[in-house]
Amino acid sequence: MSMIFFACVVRVRDGLPLSASTDFYHTQDFLEWKRRLKTLGLRLAQYPGRGSAEGRDFSIHFSSFGDVACMAICSCQCPAAMAFCFLETLWWEFTASYDTTCIGLASRPYAFLEFDSIIQKMKWHFNYVSSSQMESSLEKIHEELKLQPPVVLTLEDTDVANGVMNGHTPMHLEPAPNFRMEPVTALGILSLILNIMCAALNLIRGVHLAEHSLQVAHEEMGNILAFLVPFVACIFQNKNGPFYV
């Protein structure tokens, strides 16, 4: 009987998922617990060490050391010692496979997706190998849990209220200014027509001087610019003038 349903490896400082097991469960309750696990993963920096959150059918266990944490969704029948033994073994395997530099530089979710095959093998081992074969490891974890019990979280600690994670201050967004376009008056239309005529006249005169400058010295370039600059100014005046208030 499967007792460990899902497992993932998370970077502690920002909750970035580094790798995860293949998901074979798609019930509504299970998807809800995956959402809770993701929310809790963003807050692992607040809970160093071991912790658990238990519900009616599922429980979340996590084990955090350094900047790497391992998390699992288990059946409520799964003993805590077995869950934490699995997570500790998973942590050692992952940190032995990837150095701290690679983990720190990871910028996208599931950057170490190939580690999924290792998670799957370990899940199968802990789900189907008898407890007697892991007796020494389970006893060691059991004694550690007696000396230092894991943090017990409530379901509210793993929940998201109104899209805002508990313990985080919501962002207040200011409404954007509302600019209203006003109709162009008769004076504005007249101004637009005169500006277009002036711009066209300056363009024609500038082009004529440009053709002429090919046959004369470079001193004529100043005269060309004297007409082209007013032309450009007229264009910008049309854009920002009578149409906008």
Side-chain angles (χ1 to χ4, degrees):
M1 177 182 177
S2 296
M3 289 191 290
I4 301 172
F5 298 117
F6 176 80
C8 65
V9 182
V10 176
R11 189 166 63 192
V12 173
R13 71 170 184 263
D14 54 6
L16 181 73
L18 302 174
S19 189
S21 61
T22 304
D23 189 1
F24 296 106
Y25 306 95
H26 302 286
T27 65
Q28 191 63 37
D29 288 344
F30 180 77
L31 294 177
E32 174 68 17
W33 276 85
K34 280 193 68 177
R35 185 183 65 83
R36 293 177 183 275
L37 180 142
K38 181 178 179 181
T39 302
L40 181 58
L42 297 171
R43 306 177 62 190
L44 285 176
Q46 303 177 29
Y47 307 110
R50 297 174 175 138
S52 300
E54 298 185 358
R56 185 182 63 181
D57 299 318
F58 299 102
S59 59
I60 294 175
H61 301 283
F62 63 87
S63 184
S64 173
F65 300 96
D67 200 28
V68 175
C70 295
M71 309 180 71
I73 299 177
C74 305
S75 165
C76 283
Q77 285 73 41
C78 180
M82 177 178 287
F84 286 113
C85 185
F86 165 76
L87 293 174
E88 184 173 302
T89 306
L90 184 61
W91 186 91
W92 281 109
E93 191 70 30
F94 184 84
T95 54
S97 302
Y98 306 100
D99 58 36
T100 54
T101 302
C102 291
I103 296 171
L105 292 177
S107 58
R108 59 182 175 83
Y110 306 107
F112 309 103
L113 191 59
E114 67 277 2
F115 191 73
D116 162 67
S117 60
I118 304 298
I119 301 177
Q120 293 293 86
K121 290 177 182 178
M122 292 182 58
K123 274 179 53 186
W124 186 93
H125 178 78
F126 277 84
N127 280 331
Y128 297 106
V129 173
S130 63
S131 300
S132 59
Q133 299 182 38
M134 301 182 291
E135 186 174 354
S136 60
S137 298
L138 292 176
E139 286 181 357
K140 173 179 174 292
I141 296 295
H142 187 69
E143 290 300 320
E144 291 179 1
L145 295 178
K146 280 185 178 180
L147 295 174
Q148 189 174 2
V151 175
V152 178
L153 305 178
T154 64
L155 296 184
E156 287 75 15
D157 293 321
T158 64
D159 203 2
V160 176
N162 297 324
V164 180
M165 191 163 57
N166 292 333
H168 287 245
T169 304
M171 295 179 62
H172 297 283
L173 301 178
E174 296 292 337
N178 184 20
F179 295 103
R180 182 172 58 89
M181 303 292 287
E182 295 185 0
V184 181
T185 63
L187 183 60
I189 295 175
L190 178 60
S191 175
L192 173 63
I193 294 173
L194 292 176
N195 276 297
I196 291 175
M197 293 175 63
C198 290
L201 180 60
N202 282 317
L203 178 61
I204 292 171
R205 297 173 70 182
V207 170
H208 174 71
L209 282 175
E211 293 175 348
H212 180 66
S213 66
L214 297 176
Q215 304 173 4
V216 298
H218 292 287
E219 291 81 8
E220 297 292 335
M221 291 301 296
N223 294 330
I224 298 173
L225 292 176
F227 290 105
L228 289 181
V229 171
F231 165 71
V232 174
C234 287
I235 294 298
F236 279 101
Q237 184 178 358
N238 291 336
K239 179 179 179 181
N240 301 306
F243 290 106
Y244 295 87
V245 179

